[in-house]
Amino acid sequence: MTRDGKIELMAPCGSFEALQAAIDNGADSVYFGVTQLNMRARSSINFTIDDLYEIARRTKTAGVRSYLTLNTIIYDHDLSLIQTIMNAAKDAGITAVIGADQAVMSYAREIDLELHISTQVNVTNAQTVKFYSFFADTIVLSRELSVSQVKKIVESIEKEQIKGPSGRLVEIEIFGHGALCMAVSGKCYLSLHSYNSSANRGACKQNCRKKYTVVDQETGFEIEIDNEYMMSPKDLCTIGFLDQIVDAGVKVLKVEGRGRAADYVATTTKCYREAIDAIADGSFSQEKVQDWMERLKTVYNRGFWDGYYLGQKLGEWSSANGSEATQKKVFVGTGRSYFNNIKVGEFSVDAYDVAVGDKVMVTGPTTGVQEFVVDELRIDDGQKVEKASKGAIISMPVGFKVRPSDKLYKIVEVE
């Protein structure tokens, strides 16, 4: 929990763009992976061991906690690497490591590095919390629990005074938003059996996101079903009942999405930041929930449902392949320079045209995610224009520094 007593908002980072977006939009903490020993080893860009120092520098400067994921299963040949990674994390000043394998847990204890128990461990009761409290101050519960079950575990921690290695009461962390897996807390073997590519080693081929037809093996009869995506669940969204989660005593709310783009991180972090603040100041309302939901729909999603938290349904399944976002971003060009005295950014138009009135986005490793509406546009010689096409060098007023590593996108509605 944050120092002001609010639930801690943890955002995902699969790139420096996403890291900066999380920091800029109100995350209390961020989580990320390095090399291959994390559950998004295949789907996310991932950082290097050397990047740990820059991540720690940025997060410390912003007063944001940093959590390194090492939550795959570990083999003997991995032991030297996990120790190298964890030693570097300790040296860089990373706040904690998120682990599922006992090798990670024991080594974290050995070098006095704070540990979060991953949801991969599938913790579902207070007695298991007590067992893992020897290793960890924070435990991520199984995704299949209801809010009332979560609340009961929190109450047991307080009643029995279950404390972690730091001497503080164990804190409970749950997933609050993002992709869900058909398997129990992500323990899936479909990808391993079909492609020899283990999901539990961060190399999921996402079999469950594909179309399937059910066939009776005895008769050959093809069973008719309403939805061909029978194993692809909708994304979790708890913003509509976040007040119940806070009331349950959850200390850390985790947004899933290390494999998703920086604009997803920016939008989800900002919406949940506003929701948490609204709960704290008493202004949380259904009107605000509606606004947050509409904004959450603009970035990558497979549709939304409540997960298992309200105990209403076994599952809700997506009806299409990929995102159901109401908006998409179209690449326009790249950053060139920034004129600080007049607050103007210069870009090259490399692909799609851009015009006055367009909603645009600039992303970059240091810039993060910046969105604004173009209210003035000039080309090569400083001439004012209403529209610029491929090949033009454009300039426009912006409230942030533009860098050569930045990319310019136009945001358009999905038809």
Side-chain angles (χ1 to χ4, degrees), residues 135-154:
F135 298 102
D137 290 298
T138 305
I139 295 177
V140 191
L141 295 183
S142 166
R143 303 187 195 192
E144 290 71 39
L145 297 177
S146 66
V147 172
S148 61
Q149 288 174 312
V150 172
K151 186 172 185 178
K152 186 174 181 179
I153 290 172
V154 172

Side-chain angles (χ1 to χ4, degrees), residues 1-2 4-9 28 147 174 176 237-253 269-289 292:
M1 180 169 281
T2 56
D4 57 10
K6 298 176 187 176
I7 190 171
E8 178 182 324
L9 176 59
D28 297 305
V147 172
I174 67 169
C237 181
T238 64
I239 206 162
F241 55 96
L242 190 58
D243 53 340
Q244 295 182 47
I245 289 173
V246 171
D247 180 65
V250 172
K251 296 298 191 293
V252 186
L253 187 79
T269 302
K270 189 171 180 61
C271 287
Y272 277 88
R273 174 77 275 153
E274 291 175 8
I276 290 169
D277 292 346
I279 291 169
D281 65 23
S283 64
F284 186 83
S285 67
Q286 284 307 303
E287 289 77 17
K288 287 188 174 182
V289 168
W292 293 321

Side-chain angles (χ1 to χ4, degrees), residues 118-135:
S118 171
T119 191
Q120 299 295 121
V121 176
N122 197 32
V123 175
T124 57
N125 59 75
Q127 191 64 32
T128 306
V129 169
K130 183 182 292 186
F131 175 82
Y132 284 110
S133 67
F134 176 78
F135 298 102

Side-chain angles (χ1 to χ4, degrees), residues 10 66-71 86 90 94-118 121 131-140 164-166 168-171 173 252:
M10 185 194 300
S66 55
Y67 304 131
L68 168 65
T69 57
L70 280 174
N71 54 348
M86 292 171 73
K90 175 80 173 178
I94 297 300
T95 308
V97 62
I98 303 173
D101 194 287
Q102 284 74 18
V104 173
M105 297 179 199
S106 62
Y107 195 66
R109 184 69 187 266
E110 185 178 327
I111 65 173
D112 193 28
L113 178 60
E114 185 180 329
L115 173 73
H116 292 199
I117 299 295
S118 171
V121 176
F131 175 82
Y132 284 110
S133 67
F134 176 78
F135 298 102
D137 290 298
T138 305
I139 295 177
V140 191
S166 69
R168 304 190 308 269
L169 288 179
V170 170
E171 295 189 341
E173 176 182 324
V252 186

